Amino acid sequence: MRDGVWGSLVGQEELAAGLAAAVADPARLTHAYLFTGPPGSGRSTAARAFAAALLCPDGGCGECRECRTALDGSHADVEVVNTEGLSIPVKQARELALTAAHHPSVGAWRIIVIEDADRLTEQAADALLKALEEPSPRTVWMLCAPSPQDVIVTIRSRSRHLSLRTPPVEAVAALLESQGVDAAMAAYAARAAQSHIGVARWLARDESARARRHTVTRIPFELEGLGSALRKAASLHEVATSEAAAEAEQRDVAEREELLRLNGADPTARAQPPAIRGQLNQLAKEQKARATRRVRDVIDRTLVDLASVYRDALLVSVGASGVDLVNPQDAGDLQRLAGTTSADALLLCLEQVDTARTRIGENVTPLLALEAMLVGLHQLQGDLARTSTGRGPR
Ligand SMILES: [Zn+2]
């Protein structure tokens, strides 16, 4: 049962068994599923594996054409929606509703995977309701989101909920090893990524990613004053922005050329005809939205890294044994941080980081949120040291 397409679900044995059983007995299928789980737990991988298993003549062998094309999203009857912008617009939702009404073209099922169902606007969700409620009998919806609460309630109540757990660090490390990463690197990457499969893979393969993570996780040990707090905020922001830009650049240019090519225009021409200009403007708008989201995503990931240091220091501070540190390489510095900062203050530090994440998620200018966070962290850290030197808590 763990072979074939289910092999790609790391640490989700129970879920895989349930899905395989539904594939084997279509009477158990329902028309809409909601996959939830923490980022990097493999929500969309699970949805794609399920889609492949439904379309595969052997229930998900992982090798046939149906399986391969369903997994990589190129199957004619599998529509995978991944949002690049901050939300899924109503126009796209209407198109999906139309797609859902059609019978499958080659396979037994038509499957629509929405990778970020939490990004459906209320209007977009409304446009989907009818299609979710009375779909064509051969259509299956697979929605993915971090948690059920992230999805508009009318959508949530119309789908069957399946939850993924955070995969164990060992399972993620084993996956990396099976993909050719050496054992020590696999263990480091899985631990540092806190079981986020995509991040672990990226850390294992990309030296600059490890360097960036290192810079971020050193911040708590290098906060020396208000000035340094503000400088750290600026550099955090800079790192995230340039990473997002580097990633976007190539793709943006390629997309523009593709659009021009499809319209039979000359990509090297300095001015384009009016009909094409409209489309180019639209594309530029989408690319800008994507870049904004990308910067926020990268910042969010760096904040998860930063929080892991305060979490580790808190574990050291309360003497928790038997719990693995995310950053064992910094054991000495973590001891010192726990020695100068009380457990209460460390908890508040974690809250500061969490607040910054929430605020950035709510569209506060990232740099401002980062500055407020680092100033807060600077004020919280070292409370014990201040008391003992007679300066008193802040
Ligand atoms: Zn197959």
Side-chain angles (χ1 to χ4, degrees), residues 5 52 55-68:
V5 291
L55 294 166
C56 170
D58 292 322
C61 67
E63 275 149 35
C64 70
R65 203 184 125 77
E66 306 291 318
C67 280
R68 281 183 287 114

Side-chain angles (χ1 to χ4, degrees), residues 121 265 280 387:
T121 62
L280 284 175
T387 315

Side-chain angles (χ1 to χ4, degrees), residues 250-304:
Q250 271 186 326
R251 199 159 134 201
D252 286 358
V253 172
E255 277 177 352
R256 189 172 187 278
E257 279 174 6
E258 173 70 3
L259 178 71
L260 292 171
R261 198 185 55 76
L262 286 174
N263 283 286
D266 173 11
T268 57
R270 289 189 59 191
Q272 297 295 346
I276 298 179
R277 245 180 280 150
Q279 292 188 51
L280 284 175
N281 288 341
Q282 179 60 30
L283 178 67
K285 232 170 85 185
E286 282 165 21
Q287 290 179 336
K288 191 160 173 253
R290 186 168 70 202
T292 306
R293 171 168 173 195
R294 187 77 198 123
V295 170
R296 283 165 201 269
D297 286 351
V298 175
I299 291 178
D300 194 62
R301 200 162 60 216
T302 62
L303 293 183
V304 170

Side-chain angles (χ1 to χ4, degrees), residues 64-271:
C64 70
R65 203 184 125 77
E66 306 291 318
C67 280
R68 281 183 287 114
T69 53
L71 291 176
D72 72 18
S74 66
H75 194 290
D77 291 324
V78 181
E79 173 96 16
V80 179
V81 180
N82 37 29
T83 333
E84 301 289 4
L86 293 168
S87 62
I88 299 178
V90 63
K91 179 165 166 270
Q92 193 177 8
R94 289 204 187 104
E95 286 164 6
L96 287 173
L98 283 178
T99 308
H102 290 150
H103 282 280
S105 54
V106 292
W109 302 95
R110 177 174 293 283
I111 293 146
I112 302 176
V113 179
I114 302 184
E115 291 195 341
D116 305 279
D118 51 318
R119 293 181 194 261
L120 285 164
T121 62
E122 211 154 317
Q123 274 180 310
D126 280 346
L128 285 185
L129 283 189
K130 209 169 142 53
L132 277 171
E133 217 159 34
E134 305 159 15
S136 126
R138 308 305 295 177
T139 294
V140 180
W141 290 87
M142 300 184 186
L143 313 173
C144 308
S147 80
Q149 290 72 36
D150 292 318
V151 181
I152 291 172
V153 63
T154 46
I155 296 274
R156 197 197 313 162
S157 63
R158 284 166 175 81
S159 13
R160 184 177 298 169
H161 179 206
L162 300 169
S163 71
L164 284 82
R165 59 178 186 141
T166 301
V169 169
E170 297 72 28
V172 176
L175 172 78
L176 293 179
E177 274 193 72
S178 77
Q179 294 170 347
V181 176
D182 80 67
M185 178 62 81
Y188 154 80
R191 195 178 55 229
Q194 297 174 69
S195 289
H196 186 303
I197 297 167
V199 173
R201 205 175 269 140
W202 178 67
L203 281 173
R205 301 233 160 109
D206 186 344
E207 198 187 331
S208 60
R210 296 194 289 276
R212 274 191 296 271
R213 185 178 189 280
H214 176 75
T215 310
V216 172
T217 55
R218 294 301 301 166
I219 286 177
F221 311 127
E222 293 165 358
L223 272 184
E224 275 145 14
L226 217 51
S228 110
L230 293 174
R231 277 195 302 278
K232 298 276 181 209
S235 84
L236 256 184
H237 187 251
E238 165 64 28
V239 162
T241 315
S242 56
E243 184 186 323
E247 212 187 79
E249 195 176 8
Q250 271 186 326
R251 199 159 134 201
D252 286 358
V253 172
E255 277 177 352
R256 189 172 187 278
E257 279 174 6
E258 173 70 3
L259 178 71
L260 292 171
R261 198 185 55 76
L262 286 174
N263 283 286
D266 173 11
T268 57
R270 289 189 59 191

